[in-house]
Amino acid sequence: LLRCRCSYPEPRGLELRMKNVLIIYWSHDGRTARISRRICEVIEAEGHKATMMHVMEAEREGVDLDSYDIILLGCAIRYGEFNKQFVNFVNKNKAKLDAKPTSMFNITAIARNPEKATVAGNVYARKFMENNPWKPHEMKCFAGKVDYPNCGPVDGFLIRLIMMMTKGPTDKHSVNDFTNWDDVEAYARHCLTLA
């Protein structure tokens, strides 16, 4: 246990406990992995322990969910859908996740619009909360990145079509980072208060 280092006497029995946080994520093109890594860095900078694990590793190699104080789960949304392996994992582990403080974050380009960066305004987050058997204690929506030069021809075409419909950038040579990194850091600090 860590004790608070103060210039005045510490009240009896008051101890700061290091929290052990697990971040399980699914990433298609690396953006969710990068956001997960930043959350991990902030949690560690705050003096706690953080472990980051891709859902495939958690599924195939196994993970002891009981050994963590807080569990965060992140998933990119591709063409309006959460990854099936990610959804299967959370539903299979529903009982253990329900017993822990949890927060889920999703990454989608539509969250670049502030109204769609909330659970109420984000159709994908709302559908997950309404229809999925496992429900996190809370959910956060982050805007992602549209990186046309690194998209394949089919993905590039489909993403441009979605951007046209949602009044987003359509220049096929552009890289558009919509992620608010200050918000990511604030979210990481907030998650430490869940336990």
Side-chain angles (χ1 to χ4, degrees), residues 30-31 33 35-36 38-39 52 60 75-76 79 83 91 102-103 107 120 133 135 155 158 167 182-183:
R31 176 52 43 138
I35 288 172
S36 298
R38 188 65 195 126
I39 291 168
M52 184 176 138
R60 293 182 183 174
C75 190
Y79 307 123
N83 173 266
N91 289 333
T102 59
S103 183
I107 318 300
K135 294 169 188 11
D155 275 347
L158 292 171
K167 297 181 175 47
D182 291 337
D183 196 26

Side-chain angles (χ1 to χ4, degrees), residues 125-140:
R126 205 169 55 244
K127 276 171 45 179
F128 186 92
M129 293 298 271
E130 289 169 1
N131 302 323
N132 200 66
W134 175 74
K135 294 169 188 11
H137 295 116
E138 63 176 38
M139 185 180 276
K140 177 72 175 163

